[in-house]
Amino acid sequence: MKAYADMDHNELLSLKASLEEKFKTEQAKGLSLNMARGKPGVSQLAISMPMLDVVNKDSDMNTLLGNDTRNYGDWDGIGECRQLMADMMEVKKANVIVCGNSSLNIMYDTVMRSMAMGVNGMTPWCKLDKVKFLCPVPGYDRHFKITELFGIDMIPVPLREDGPDMDMVEQYVNNDEAVKGIWCVPKYSNPTGITYSDEVVRRFANLKPKAEDFRIFWDNAYCIHYIFEETQDKILNILEECEKAGNPNMVYVFASTSKVSFPGSGVSAIATSLENMEYIKKFMTTQIIGHDKINQLRHVRFFKDIDGLNAHMKKHADLIRPKFEAVLNILESELTGLGIGSWTKPRGGYFISFDSMPGCAKAIVAKCKELGLVLTGAGATYPYGKDPDDSNIRIAPTFPTPEEMAEAAKMFVICVKLASVEKLLGE
Amino acid sequence: MKAYADMDHNELLSLKASLEEKFKTEQAKGLSLNMARGKPGVSQLAISMPMLDVVNKDSDMNTLLGNDTRNYGDWDGIGECRQLMADMMEVKKANVIVCGNSSLNIMYDTVMRSMAMGVNGMTPWCKLDKVKFLCPVPGYDRHFKITELFGIDMIPVPLREDGPDMDMVEQYVNNDEAVKGIWCVPKYSNPTGITYSDEVVRRFANLKPKAEDFRIFWDNAYCIHYIFEETQDKILNILEECEKAGNPNMVYVFASTSKVSFPGSGVSAIATSLENMEYIKKFMTTQIIGHDKINQLRHVRFFKDIDGLNAHMKKHADLIRPKFEAVLNILESELTGLGIGSWTKPRGGYFISFDSMPGCAKAIVAKCKELGLVLTGAGATYPYGKDPDDSNIRIAPTFPTPEEMAEAAKMFVICVKLASVEKLLGE
């Protein structure tokens, strides 16, 4: 294939004409597909349906310790669910609080509490002139929305193959007292799918923050969410590493079963040091009498243990792998050598990250929309929705069927080509 | 019966000796009962068990509008559950956001948001020198814990038969800009069981707050929780009254099904003006992608509509009425005429409020504990846990069986008598 940049004006014009033809043909199909969010597909939801029957009107509703899950109590979660979530997060049960249906909500609460009341009794962030968060980019838009809402300054840090640019992270964290946090998705990152290397995790654990109330927001959203069973990533235990490095309180770890059982009806958890937990407890026991323990029991009775969880994740992997492959195959066969885009080949998680030629992402997303294909807004993977290169696009392949996904990928490729040609033509 | 205050020293001494005998007899029984919290009894939990089967692995999981409850979406709750909660709260569906399992959590979030980010964009409370809340007393300890946690000054306001002392409420709210809120349990109040009169509700709606960001926290926790079907209380619609009075944004209404379905596994909601909702939405859609919609569906499929809810509440009433009657009968037969205590005769809710002679409540609770009977701590019904008269005790009769309740009430009465005699003897 000839790279677009090597084509002369006439070649580009003729290419454009042929692409516009294809665009019209696709448009005529009147497709309507949504790949904007990382939503599990219907086939994935189906494999969790038996969970709805394991706790029923004839069930013993008591925990292993004999507490009635139907009544108030166990504010930090029932013991067996704390154990299950601990195993999933690869931490100790003693460090885990099981919460409601949403880990995003725990993150929001954690930032909000720090704003209004401070971290472990230190000065509330809302009383400071300036609060800053580091934001590895491309990253998760809902993280950035939280810090944006609270008026926290967001500083983009490039995310590489092995994690964030740690020179830059150290430079900021160790020297600027206003830097209070960093958003991380350490495994099968959203959206690039990369996993932090051991060296990166260790450099995180060995930070020497200028601000005593600096915290790492370690959103291990995809901790067991591999796509290819044979090439699963491993990640160092950040809680342990922080403890070893003398920074036991520096990290909050978050996870949930939103993409294991049901989005919105799963179980979430936070894992952190005992000292941090003590402070959180003061707030959480005022905030709520307890979370949904019947749902916790439902999860434990269904998954039983970490082996049950992993067996379930294998089913998910088998369902989503063909969708990722459909996209990757089409990107590979249609775009290789053209010099108009690059993309990640994730081993886990929910996304493929696509980088177009600079200045083309918005145009591509807009063209896709004309074809009935809704993508995550261009720029969403950057703080304030502003991608300085206008090049990153997050592709979420899980919700459509594999057939729809192949269809959508073909359309996407046409839009990428067309937008690139137009760019090169200076339009 | 002779009032204790009319007894001479010798009569009191001899009475004391006989009470101490009875106390020892009770103590020897080695009872262990907990009446500290308003927990439904096991028989109440049992009537909701069929709810666990209405959504099962073969169920249609779509809402009436065709949205899949198993996936992300409907951040403000599924339509049919918003309708159900609206009917329960006697407000319009358009004013309702259905949330997670805990209305306390919504109240906490509301105060926290006001602290960190202000009410509807006004100055965050954490940036003010002083923030005050009015606290009708006796009241709900968990309300007071929230405001205490955030360092908000709590001002006790006497709660009368028909609601808070409105002269005092008006005096504070209409003149002191630091007064930002008031905690209310308007129907079958916690712990006195009273319901606000129409006049009180109208005076609330017609407040002229000095602070534009003053809000009424209207915790309608017991809106459908009657004990005697024939004497159900009615309460004016505060949202409507506020609107009529030109104060549409002045109130947040909260409710949940914690004591309808399952404590900790129910559904909660907030109802407020569209303008307030718009501001809340900005935060809530950042905080969470959505609440547990499968559980919302479960509630709707089980209760169907307000008639179903009411039929279910009749079952609850039939189960808890004998427990209330057991306590009330014993208080009546054992304490009438002695001048050492008075108590409320609630028509709904979860509590009986008992007032001992001044200076006796702590002693009574301590004596009960010696008998193995755990009550809510004396003072808990007052801000900071400080009852200036040391006289109010909250009795929660729902958790024990009626037989246990009668047993416990007898013990309680012995402790009341003994503590009163000791007080009169100046011990």
Side-chain angles (χ1 to χ4, degrees):
Chain A
M1 302 289 274
K2 189 169 185 179
Y4 280 25
D6 298 337
M7 291 183 183
D8 64 25
H9 191 74
N10 282 340
E11 283 176 304
L12 286 171
L13 280 178
S14 118
L15 179 59
K16 187 185 168 200
S18 105
L19 286 167
E20 280 172 342
E21 275 306 306
K22 288 184 183 168
F23 186 87
K24 277 182 196 147
T25 312
E26 293 298 325
Q27 199 166 25
K29 291 181 180 167
L31 187 86
S32 172
L33 268 179
N34 194 317
M35 297 200 302
R37 308 298 322 174
K39 290 171 76 170
V42 174
S43 59
Q44 289 177 270
L45 302 173
I47 62 171
S48 294
M49 286 302 283
M51 174 187 279
L52 299 179
D53 288 15
V54 294
V55 171
N56 58 56
K57 72 174 164 51
D58 302 314
S59 294
D60 170 9
M61 300 298 287
N62 284 0
T63 66
L64 295 175
L65 285 177
N67 299 338
D68 194 334
T69 56
R70 302 170 302 175
N71 223 326
Y72 294 120
D74 283 322
W75 72 272
D76 51 357
I78 65 174
E80 47 266 56
C81 195
R82 291 177 65 204
Q83 185 65 60
L84 184 71
M85 293 304 284
D87 291 344
M88 178 173 134
M89 299 163 91
E90 299 181 312
V91 298
K92 293 190 199 109
K93 177 182 166 191
N95 296 104
V96 172
I97 302 171
V98 176
C99 299
N101 70 326
S102 162
S103 54
L104 191 73
N105 201 342
I106 319 178
M107 294 176 229
Y108 172 96
D109 278 1
T110 305
V111 174
M112 176 72 106
R113 191 174 55 242
S114 308
M115 285 296 295
M117 305 298 292
V119 174
N120 293 15
M122 288 173 264
T123 308
W125 295 352
C126 74
K127 301 210 165 162
L128 303 175
D129 288 337
K130 186 71 94 180
V131 176
K132 302 176 188 168
F133 256 60
L134 304 183
C135 299
V137 288
Y140 180 33
D141 56 347
R142 289 190 184 270
H143 287 163
F144 304 156
K145 284 277 180 210
I146 291 175
T147 25
E148 183 175 358
L149 184 69
F150 293 121
I152 293 172
D153 267 19
M154 293 185 280
I155 302 165
V157 174
L159 184 73
R160 311 200 185 287
E161 278 297 313
D162 62 346
D165 178 338
M166 290 309 293
D167 290 343
M168 197 168 162
V169 169
E170 286 164 356
Q171 180 64 25
Y172 273 108
V173 174
N174 298 353
N175 296 294
D176 186 347
E177 202 174 351
V179 172
K180 301 297 189 189
I182 181 168
W183 290 117
C184 296
V185 183
K187 195 170 173 184
Y188 306 134
S189 158
N190 177 351
T192 65
I194 65 103
T195 295
Y196 292 11
S197 70
D198 291 356
E199 192 205 333
V200 163
V201 176
R202 286 202 189 95
R203 284 180 75 177
F204 262 112
N206 283 281
L207 285 168
K208 303 278 170 256
K210 182 86 170 170
E212 205 192 328
D213 52 353
F214 168 82
R215 290 292 181 272
I216 302 166
F217 287 68
W218 197 259
D219 181 5
N220 209 350
Y222 306 105
C223 47
I224 56 172
H225 302 58
Y226 62 83
I227 301 172
F228 301 97
E229 198 186 3
E230 57 281 10
T231 55
Q232 290 183 53
D233 290 353
K234 287 292 293 176
I235 187 165
L236 274 188
N237 182 322
I238 183 75
L239 267 180
E240 267 176 29
E241 294 300 321
C242 281
E243 208 172 294
K244 276 191 224 164
N247 285 322
N249 299 329
M250 197 171 58
V251 64
Y252 305 120
V253 181
F254 308 94
S256 83
T257 69
S258 291
K259 282 154 187 133
V260 179
S261 55
F262 296 112
S265 302
V267 162
S268 68
I270 178 171
T272 192
S273 71
L274 298 183
E275 191 176 324
N276 286 346
M277 283 174 78
E278 212 38 56
Y279 188 72
I280 292 171
K281 178 180 179 177
K282 205 173 85 169
F283 286 82
M284 206 179 275
T285 54
T286 303
Q287 175 174 22
I288 196 165
I289 307 181
H291 296 96
D292 186 342
K293 300 193 304 295
I294 294 182
N295 202 35
Q296 293 174 21
L297 187 70
R298 193 176 280 123
H299 277 70
V300 173
R301 294 263 169 96
F302 184 62
F303 291 119
K304 293 187 174 68
D305 53 26
I306 185 68
D307 292 337
L309 270 180
N310 283 327
H312 194 74
M313 294 317 289
K314 181 168 163 27
K315 293 184 194 169
H316 278 299
D318 289 343
L319 290 166
I320 66 175
R321 194 169 46 247
K323 303 180 185 187
F324 277 84
E325 285 171 342
V327 180
L328 292 170
N329 288 341
I330 287 162
L331 294 178
E332 177 114 358
S333 65
E334 291 288 328
L335 296 181
T336 303
L338 301 186
I340 58 171
S342 60
W343 54 92
T344 59
K345 295 160 196 71
R347 295 177 295 275
Y350 261 61
F351 304 102
I352 293 165
S353 179
F354 182 88
D355 283 313
S356 69
M357 285 168 47
C360 288
K362 276 194 185 134
I364 293 168
V365 171
K367 284 184 193 302
C368 283
K369 200 173 176 188
E370 283 182 60
L371 298 186
L373 177 60
V374 179
L375 298 174
T376 312
T381 52
Y382 282 73
Y384 312 106
K386 286 179 190 156
D387 173 1
D389 292 331
D390 184 27
S391 88
N392 188 251
I393 296 174
R394 186 180 79 164
I395 299 175
T398 52
F399 190 66
T401 64
E403 296 70 32
E404 288 170 331
M405 198 56 242
E407 191 68 23
K410 280 177 205 156
M411 292 181 170
F412 176 73
V413 158
I414 292 168
C415 295
V416 170
K417 290 179 177 174
L418 192 51
S420 305
V421 170
E422 286 173 357
K423 184 78 188 173
L424 288 166
L425 285 167
E427 288 174 4
Chain B
M1 303 290 275
K2 190 171 185 178
Y4 279 24
D6 297 338
M7 291 185 184
D8 64 25
H9 191 73
N10 283 340
E11 282 175 305
L12 287 171
L13 281 179
S14 115
L15 179 58
K16 187 187 169 200
S18 104
L19 286 167
E20 280 170 343
E21 274 307 303
K22 286 183 184 169
F23 186 87
K24 277 180 197 151
T25 312
E26 293 299 324
Q27 199 165 24
K29 290 181 182 167
L31 186 87
S32 172
L33 269 178
N34 194 318
M35 296 199 304
R37 308 296 325 173
K39 290 170 77 170
V42 173
S43 59
Q44 289 177 270
L45 302 172
I47 62 173
S48 293
M49 286 302 283
M51 174 188 279
L52 299 180
D53 287 16
V54 295
V55 171
N56 58 57
K57 71 174 165 49
D58 302 315
S59 294
D60 170 9
M61 299 299 287
N62 283 0
T63 66
L64 295 175
L65 285 177
N67 299 339
D68 193 335
T69 56
R70 300 170 304 175
N71 223 327
Y72 294 119
D74 283 323
W75 71 273
D76 52 356
I78 64 173
E80 46 266 56
C81 195
R82 290 178 66 205
Q83 185 64 59
L84 184 70
M85 293 305 284
D87 291 343
M88 178 173 133
M89 299 163 91
E90 299 181 313
V91 299
K92 292 187 198 114
K93 178 182 166 190
N95 296 104
V96 172
I97 302 170
V98 176
C99 300
N101 70 326
S102 162
S103 53
L104 191 72
N105 202 343
I106 318 177
M107 295 177 227
Y108 172 96
D109 279 1
T110 305
V111 174
M112 177 71 107
R113 192 174 55 240
S114 308
M115 285 295 296
M117 304 299 290
V119 174
N120 293 14
M122 288 174 263
T123 308
W125 295 351
C126 73
K127 301 211 164 160
L128 303 175
D129 289 336
K130 186 71 94 181
V131 175
K132 301 176 189 169
F133 256 59
L134 303 183
C135 299
V137 288
Y140 180 34
D141 55 347
R142 289 189 183 273
H143 286 163
F144 303 156
K145 285 278 180 210
I146 291 176
T147 25
E148 184 175 357
L149 185 68
F150 293 121
I152 293 172
D153 269 18
M154 293 185 279
I155 302 165
V157 173
L159 184 73
R160 311 198 184 288
E161 277 298 311
D162 61 346
D165 177 337
M166 290 308 293
D167 290 343
M168 197 168 161
V169 169
E170 287 164 355
Q171 180 65 25
Y172 272 109
V173 174
N174 298 354
N175 295 294
D176 186 348
E177 202 174 352
V179 172
K180 300 297 187 189
I182 181 168
W183 290 117
C184 296
V185 183
K187 195 169 173 185
Y188 306 134
S189 157
N190 177 352
T192 66
I194 66 103
T195 295
Y196 293 10
S197 70
D198 292 355
E199 192 205 330
V200 163
V201 176
R202 285 201 188 97
R203 285 179 74 176
F204 262 111
N206 283 281
L207 286 169
K208 304 276 170 259
K210 182 86 171 171
E212 205 192 329
D213 53 354
F214 168 82
R215 291 293 181 273
I216 303 166
F217 287 69
W218 197 258
D219 181 5
N220 208 351
Y222 305 105
C223 48
I224 55 172
H225 303 57
Y226 61 83
I227 302 173
F228 301 97
E229 199 185 3
E230 57 281 9
T231 55
Q232 289 184 54
D233 290 353
K234 288 291 293 176
I235 187 164
L236 274 188
N237 183 322
I238 184 75
L239 268 179
E240 267 178 29
E241 293 301 321
C242 281
E243 208 173 294
K244 276 191 224 167
N247 284 322
N249 299 329
M250 197 172 57
V251 65
Y252 304 120
V253 181
F254 308 94
S256 84
T257 69
S258 291
K259 283 156 187 130
V260 178
S261 56
F262 296 112
S265 301
V267 162
S268 68
I270 179 172
T272 192
S273 71
L274 298 183
E275 191 176 324
N276 287 345
M277 283 174 79
E278 212 38 57
Y279 188 72
I280 292 170
K281 178 180 178 176
K282 206 173 84 171
F283 287 81
M284 206 178 275
T285 54
T286 304
Q287 175 174 21
I288 195 164
I289 307 179
H291 296 97
D292 186 342
K293 301 193 302 296
I294 295 183
N295 202 34
Q296 294 174 21
L297 188 69
R298 194 176 281 123
H299 278 70
V300 172
R301 295 264 168 95
F302 184 64
F303 291 119
K304 295 187 173 67
D305 54 26
I306 185 67
D307 292 337
L309 270 180
N310 283 328
H312 194 73
M313 293 316 287
K314 182 169 163 25
K315 293 183 195 171
H316 278 299
D318 290 342
L319 290 167
I320 65 175
R321 195 167 46 247
K323 303 181 185 190
F324 278 84
E325 284 172 342
V327 181
L328 293 169
N329 287 342
I330 286 161
L331 293 177
E332 176 114 357
S333 66
E334 291 288 327
L335 295 181
T336 303
L338 301 186
I340 57 172
S342 60
W343 54 92
T344 57
K345 294 162 197 71
R347 294 177 296 273
Y350 261 59
F351 304 102
I352 293 164
S353 179
F354 182 88
D355 282 314
S356 68
M357 286 169 46
C360 289
K362 275 192 185 136
I364 293 167
V365 171
K367 282 182 196 302
C368 284
K369 200 174 176 189
E370 283 182 59
L371 298 186
L373 176 61
V374 179
L375 298 173
T376 313
T381 53
Y382 282 73
Y384 311 106
K386 285 179 190 156
D387 173 1
D389 292 331
D390 184 28
S391 86
N392 188 252
I393 297 173
R394 186 180 80 164
I395 299 175
T398 51
F399 189 65
T401 64
E403 296 70 31
E404 288 170 331
M405 199 55 241
E407 191 68 23
K410 278 177 204 154
M411 290 180 170
F412 177 73
V413 158
I414 291 168
C415 295
V416 170
K417 288 178 177 174
L418 192 51
S420 305
V421 170
E422 286 172 359
K423 183 78 187 174
L424 288 167
L425 285 168
E427 288 175 2

